[in-house]
Amino acid sequence: MSKTQKIILAVAALVIIAMLIVAGVTGGAMSEVDCIDCHSTGLVEGEACETCGGSTQIRGNFWALVPPIIAIGLALITKEVYSSLFIGIVSGALLYTNFNPITTIDAVLTEALIPAVSDTAGIFIFLVELGILVAMINKAGGSEAFGKWAQTHIKTRVGAMLATFVLGVLIFVDDYFNCLTVGSVMRPVTDAHKISRAKLAYLIDATAAPICMIAPISSWAAAVAQYAEDGKGLELFISAIPFNFYSLLTFVFIIGLAVMGFDYGSMRIHEFNAVHNDDLYTSGERAESQAVVPSSKGKIIDLIFPIAVLIVVCVFALVYNGGILDGEDFITAFSNTDATVALPWGGMITLIIAMIYYAFRRSMTMKQMMEAIPSGFIAMVPAILILTFATALKNITSLMGAKYFVADLMNSAAAGLNLFLPAIIFLVSCVLAFATGTSWGTFGILIPIVTYMFEIGDPILIISMSACLAGAVCGDHCSPISDTTIMSSAGAECNHLNHVSTQMPYSITVAGISFVMFILAGFIQNAWICLPIGIVLTLATLFVIKMIVQKKEAAAK
């Protein structure tokens, strides 16, 4: 750590201690806001509100956002994510318990870490299953064979990046599934074309959540649909797609960036090292799986078949879990599904089929298949640890009433700013998703508020809904404690903080353009006019940035 970093860390530590002292002395972390569930009446359908217990007030204040800010700030300063997240959890527990040491320890364990493990156990299992499957594919020679095929058929870096983007768009059913599958398939291709792991992680992350957010048949559409009242959730979701500027313009940004052939920010350093120094990582630990000697019998089908089975079985598992065999239609089954149960179900079936397939092909022995189990588990340990700590931090933030504080801010901003509300909602959604690391939790908080603020049929309702969803994806992209960001790092086998720091300039660029578009949309209220303007603005922004980068390069020479 450099002297400058040590000074910054020392200042950050003093600021954190000062903030905790202020919170403890003033008791600000215990303050309350109006309950949004009963609209401060204390009653819901004639009965006492379960949220506030009929008191009309619920705990919620700015201090609820401090723990994730501490964790994110420390992670970016120290480049060490585990301790940063843990300090954030402990800070939140201290604020939550009003600095009682005994109940703080109790909160860290029983309210944060233990629920984090139990609530996400299904995703942990799916991660391990994917790790085992990847280890088996590598040992069977499927990845090596696919890499050789790709070298002859995908001949340029641009082609490799666009192929990664297209595969990400095609796998639109679930973001976790998207991140890990695209990463497993495309790593040999991007490695062969000297594309850094940070760039691969960005391509995965920038397609996973945005495509799920504009695909009517996806786990995200199902999640959004359940938050709107009167069964209008899916209809609102579909209506909001053309105004989802962040997701749509991110696709334009990716294509433009690949075709123009340049990078900026810290990503430029990573790409330079990958191309000129054969270093795909630049810095941080090498998260790559242990090198294996692949089978000499490996063929492309040894990769394609297991992945194809995984896709088919997981899609079936999602709708099966949602009740399609009980008579529900496909859309309803998707709305009712639980991905934390369905994806491990699909992963387990896929592993069994893959083992039978490799045994039949004689490309792996039973001993080698069993060796892949601990190997795959070890490869996913960093992602599981980060996901556990990040989820624990979200749990503490929820206990402190972050969503009620944000809801109170939103209600205060509504008066007199009707046409500017989509832009305001986008910003609030970005900040909330960034601080909490959850896009689902963000639109779960804001959608009921948005639908309450506007009448059905009001064009501003659709635009504000889009702003809410777009902001949730944007904040989720930028946040180092986001599960999708963590999954993207795992899928690309990239150092997590490298992924966060290289992706952030790109996400902020598209976020700035989207903010401008939501201001315009508040006045124009026509997606087919606004969207072309947004596309032109995105390409123009890329062109200007490229000129600036080229001028800096020329000056440096």
Side-chain angles (χ1 to χ4, degrees):
M1 185 180 289
S2 67
K3 184 177 180 180
T4 303
Q5 287 178 315
K6 288 179 180 178
I7 293 172
I8 294 172
L9 182 59
V11 172
L14 289 174
V15 170
I16 291 169
I17 293 170
M19 290 176 70
L20 293 176
I21 291 173
V22 169
V25 172
T26 63
M30 306 299 290
S31 59
E32 297 181 333
V33 295
D34 293 338
C35 177
I36 59 171
D37 291 343
C38 64
H39 308 300
S40 302
T41 63
L43 299 173
V44 176
E45 296 181 354
E47 297 183 2
C49 174
E50 293 183 4
T51 303
C52 65
S55 67
T56 75
Q57 296 284 301
I58 190 72
R59 182 172 178 175
N61 47 74
F62 164 75
W63 295 103
L65 301 179
V66 168
I69 292 172
I70 290 173
I72 292 166
L74 287 176
L76 295 176
I77 293 169
T78 64
K79 307 296 182 185
E80 212 297 301
V81 69
Y82 304 118
S83 60
S84 301
L85 285 171
F86 187 72
I87 291 170
I89 293 167
V90 173
S91 300
L94 284 167
L95 291 169
Y96 174 65
T97 61
N98 205 23
F99 298 88
N100 184 310
I102 302 300
T103 52
T104 293
I105 296 172
D106 187 51
V108 168
L109 291 173
T110 62
E111 302 287 357
L113 288 171
I114 292 175
V117 174
S118 60
D119 293 347
T120 52
I123 296 302
F124 293 165
I125 293 171
F126 184 61
L127 276 169
V128 172
E129 290 169 344
L130 261 292
I132 296 169
L133 185 64
V134 169
M136 288 173 60
I137 291 171
N138 290 340
K139 185 62 180 176
S143 296
E144 184 181 59
F146 183 76
K148 290 178 179 177
W149 175 88
Q151 282 182 306
T152 58
H153 291 79
I154 302 175
K155 298 183 179 180
T156 64
R157 297 182 85 248
V158 174
M161 285 187 273
L162 293 180
T164 304
F165 167 71
V166 170
L167 183 60
V169 169
L170 291 176
I171 304 177
F172 54 79
V173 292
D174 184 76
D175 55 328
Y176 288 175
F177 181 47
N178 183 307
C179 292
L180 297 173
T181 304
V182 174
S184 301
V185 173
M186 296 307 299
R187 271 198 310 271
V189 180
T190 56
D191 286 357
H193 287 283
K194 298 183 179 181
I195 294 171
S196 67
R197 291 298 176 87
K199 188 62 169 290
L200 174 60
Y202 169 68
L203 293 171
I204 293 170
D205 206 355
T207 50
I211 191 60
C212 290
M213 190 55 89
I214 61 172
I217 302 175
S218 70
S219 55
W220 286 52
V224 172
Q226 70 179 326
Y227 291 116
E229 299 177 357
D230 304 323
K232 297 289 186 180
L234 191 59
E235 181 183 333
L236 278 174
F237 178 86
I238 294 171
S239 301
I241 290 172
F243 285 104
N244 197 322
F245 297 119
Y246 184 81
S247 296
L248 295 170
L249 296 181
T250 293
F251 296 156
V252 176
F253 186 86
I254 291 171
I255 296 169
L257 199 65
V259 173
M260 290 183 187
F262 80 102
D263 289 283
Y264 60 96
S266 54
M267 184 72 81
R268 188 166 184 79
I269 300 171
H270 283 256
E271 285 292 89
F272 179 88
N273 286 336
V275 173
H276 298 285
N277 301 328
D278 292 328
D279 182 2
L280 300 177
Y281 298 89
T282 296
S283 63
E285 71 272 12
R286 307 287 161 134
E288 193 171 21
S289 303
Q290 292 183 349
V292 296
V293 179
S295 170
S296 59
K297 298 179 180 179
K299 295 182 179 180
I300 296 174
I301 190 66
D302 293 329
L303 180 142
I304 293 176
F305 178 75
I307 296 298
V309 170
L310 181 68
I311 292 171
V312 172
V313 175
C314 283
V315 170
F316 172 74
L318 287 165
V319 294
Y320 167 74
N321 180 263
I324 198 167
L325 297 186
D326 297 326
E328 300 288 359
D329 61 79
F330 192 83
I331 300 296
T332 304
F334 243 106
S335 299
N336 295 336
T337 195
D338 182 353
T340 62
V341 176
L343 292 180
W345 192 96
M348 184 175 292
I349 299 298
T350 301
L351 280 180
I352 294 170
I353 294 173
M355 287 180 178
I356 295 171
Y357 167 76
Y358 288 133
F360 179 78
R361 282 260 299 124
R362 296 184 179 179
S363 54
M364 293 182 73
T365 64
M366 178 58 70
K367 182 181 179 181
Q368 289 172 329
M369 291 180 195
M370 293 303 101
E371 288 173 349
I373 294 175
S375 176
F377 185 91
I378 291 168
M380 290 299 176
V381 166
I384 291 173
L385 280 173
I386 295 172
L387 193 57
T388 299
F389 284 147
T391 305
L393 185 59
K394 294 174 194 175
N395 292 342
I396 286 291
T397 304
S398 297
L399 288 171
M400 293 179 65
K403 68 177 184 179
Y404 301 111
F405 170 68
V406 172
D408 189 61
L409 284 180
M410 286 289 298
N411 286 329
S412 300
L417 294 171
N418 197 44
L419 296 179
F420 290 97
L421 270 180
I424 294 171
I425 291 170
F426 176 72
L427 285 181
V428 171
S429 186
C430 284
V431 172
L432 183 58
F434 179 82
T436 60
T438 167
S439 47
W440 283 32
T442 298
F443 56 65
I445 294 166
L446 296 182
I447 287 175
I449 299 171
V450 170
T451 54
Y452 172 73
M453 289 166 61
F454 303 102
E455 296 291 334
I456 297 293
D458 188 339
I460 293 292
L461 170 61
I462 303 299
I463 301 169
S464 297
M465 179 83 146
S466 296
C468 170
L469 302 180
V473 174
C474 176
D476 184 83
H477 264 181
C478 296
S479 177
I481 61 173
S482 157
D483 45 10
T484 309
T485 308
I486 295 165
M487 293 298 101
S488 299
S489 300
E493 293 186 349
C494 170
N495 175 273
H496 181 58
L497 290 178
N498 282 347
H499 169 44
V500 173
S501 61
T502 54
Q503 175 171 260
M504 195 172 292
Y506 293 174
S507 299
I508 291 174
T509 300
V510 181
I513 298 168
S514 301
F515 177 71
V516 172
M517 294 314 304
F518 279 117
I519 293 175
L520 289 177
F523 292 89
I524 298 174
Q525 300 181 11
N526 187 317
W528 308 116
I529 295 175
C530 291
L531 194 55
I533 294 173
I535 292 171
V536 171
L537 189 57
T538 301
L539 295 176
T541 301
L542 280 171
F543 183 74
V544 170
I545 293 173
K546 183 176 182 179
M547 289 181 62
I548 294 171
V549 169
Q550 289 175 337
K551 284 183 179 180
K552 285 185 178 179
E553 281 186 345
K557 291 178 181 178

